[in-house]
Amino acid sequence: MESEEPKKASGLEIEIQTDFQKDMSYGDYLHLDTILTSQNRLSNHHDEMLFIIIHQTSELWMKLILHELNAAIQCILRNDLEPSFKMLSRVSRIQQQLIQSWNVLTTLTPADYIQFRHKLGHSSGFQSYQNRLIEFALGQKNAHTLAVYKHQVDLYERLQKSLHEPSIYDVAISALAVHGLPVDENVLNRDWSQIYEPNLSVEEAWLTVYRNTDKYWDLYELAEKLVDIGNQQQLWRFKHMSTVERIIGHKQGTGGSSGVTYLKKVLDHQFFPELLSLRTKL
């Protein structure tokens, strides 16, 4: 009988798979050969690798956010609220990962960044189409932002489609009506491509939910999940603004924006407004 001692001595358990000539490996499944060869620096500066990886991983997390948000929207449209809670909880956890990534980027000093910033040309985080899709899914609609995507026809059409679809807050408001709470028809049948404006009937409906949580527990849970996401999104924006200010001060952005000044203005936008205003009236 063949001795098993050599296998044990190698540090591998006997049943561990080592032959992948015909089987799929971990690297195959994750396409690591593609992912890990996509960090192509345009300069020889050491810290450009950090800059690239932070943004690439952020885009991967954003892809997952969209995956979860879009699924949650479909659940709510079917009046199947409970499965959406897990999806929305996951979104807020992902947002925490994105917020933490800014802390890593702050290790990039102004003196280092200026060594390769000129290599970026006019590319800018403002052009992140996934971030734009997330904003649309959360209800911040702005048709003017689509101009930067006109050179990519398929992408432009995808963004146009998203612009005209209901956001997660729109479908949450529809869920209020489905559960018998009075909501103005002009809100339920509004133009989804327009930014949402606060409405008294919506605030009153949410107030009823918060005053009768036992009766409307699912709607109450949905509302609090949305508040979590809105809060995390604002924290992400604040960390974005403060990180940019720390690294480039008040320079113009590479994409042509006013940089920090623009990012501070973005902070003025409030997600899911009635879910915040009702707290004063409770």
Side-chain angles (χ1 to χ4, degrees):
M1 180 176 179
E2 183 181 350
S3 172
E4 294 180 356
E5 288 304 315
K7 291 184 179 180
K8 290 181 179 179
S10 70
L12 292 178
E13 294 179 0
I14 295 172
E15 299 301 323
I16 287 180
Q17 179 73 22
T18 59
D19 183 0
F20 292 97
Q21 293 296 319
K22 297 181 180 179
D23 285 339
M24 177 176 65
S25 71
Y26 173 82
D28 296 332
Y29 175 67
L30 295 177
H31 297 280
L32 292 183
D33 54 341
T34 300
I35 293 173
L36 298 179
T37 55
S38 297
Q39 294 72 47
N40 301 309
R41 289 182 293 168
L42 299 181
S43 74
N44 292 321
H45 197 278
H46 175 84
D47 284 5
E48 190 181 356
M49 183 64 73
L50 162 70
F51 191 81
I52 292 170
I53 289 177
I54 285 289
H55 288 86
Q56 286 184 340
T57 53
S58 292
E59 290 293 334
L60 285 173
W61 283 124
M62 288 181 189
K63 182 172 184 176
L64 185 53
I65 285 178
L66 288 167
H67 178 70
E68 301 297 338
L69 279 179
N70 290 330
I73 287 172
Q74 293 306 310
C75 286
I76 298 167
L77 283 171
R78 294 193 302 268
N79 195 30
D80 189 15
L81 302 187
E82 289 190 3
S84 74
F85 301 156
K86 178 181 178 181
M87 299 165 187
L88 296 176
S89 292
R90 184 173 292 160
V91 168
S92 64
R93 298 294 180 89
I94 298 167
Q95 288 172 311
Q96 291 171 19
Q97 292 288 331
L98 288 168
I99 291 166
Q100 176 61 27
S101 72
W102 293 121
N103 293 333
V104 180
L105 191 58
T106 58
T107 63
L108 176 64
T109 68
D112 290 322
Y113 185 42
I114 60 173
Q115 300 302 315
F116 63 86
R117 186 177 188 243
H118 62 283
K119 295 288 188 178
L120 304 181
H122 292 299
S123 64
S124 165
F126 179 82
Q127 297 148 17
S128 168
Y129 74 86
Q130 291 199 122
N131 186 48
R132 196 69 60 215
L133 288 168
I134 289 170
E135 289 181 344
F136 287 0
L138 296 180
Q140 188 176 4
K141 303 292 185 75
N142 186 344
H144 298 295
T145 60
L146 300 190
V148 298
Y149 309 105
K150 282 188 174 181
H151 66 292
Q152 295 172 282
V153 176
D154 291 346
L155 180 55
Y156 184 75
E157 290 177 353
R158 180 182 174 187
L159 285 156
Q160 280 282 7
K161 182 175 182 292
S162 178
L163 181 71
H164 290 86
E165 291 175 336
S167 71
I168 191 136
Y169 194 48
D170 289 318
V171 298
I173 292 171
S174 296
L176 292 171
V178 168
H179 284 76
L181 294 162
V183 176
D184 289 348
E185 285 295 324
N186 63 326
V187 176
L188 297 173
N189 299 307
R190 73 185 194 87
D191 180 354
W192 308 126
S193 69
Q194 299 300 307
I195 194 164
Y196 177 80
E197 296 291 342
N199 179 273
L200 182 59
S201 72
V202 174
E203 183 181 66
E204 289 297 325
W206 284 123
L207 275 167
T208 300
V209 169
Y210 275 73
R211 287 169 176 157
N212 302 274
T213 56
D214 289 343
K215 181 178 180 180
Y216 299 108
W217 184 262
D218 280 358
L219 290 171
Y220 174 58
E221 183 75 6
L222 174 61
E224 285 298 294
K225 297 297 185 189
L226 293 179
V227 170
D228 287 342
I229 289 172
N231 184 59
Q232 294 292 344
Q233 193 69 8
Q234 287 294 72
L235 288 174
W236 180 85
R237 286 173 162 183
F238 177 79
K239 287 295 293 185
H240 184 188
M241 180 274 296
S242 60
T243 301
V244 170
E245 186 173 38
R246 174 171 175 159
I247 296 174
I248 68 167
H250 286 261
K251 291 188 181 77
Q252 185 181 52
T254 48
S257 76
S258 56
V260 169
T261 301
Y262 169 78
L263 294 174
K264 285 182 177 178
K265 288 179 181 177
V266 171
L267 281 169
D268 291 336
H269 175 266
Q270 194 176 70
F271 296 98
F272 323 133
E274 292 89 353
L275 294 180
L276 298 179
S277 64
L278 69 83
R279 282 154 163 76
T280 305
K281 296 186 178 181
L282 275 175

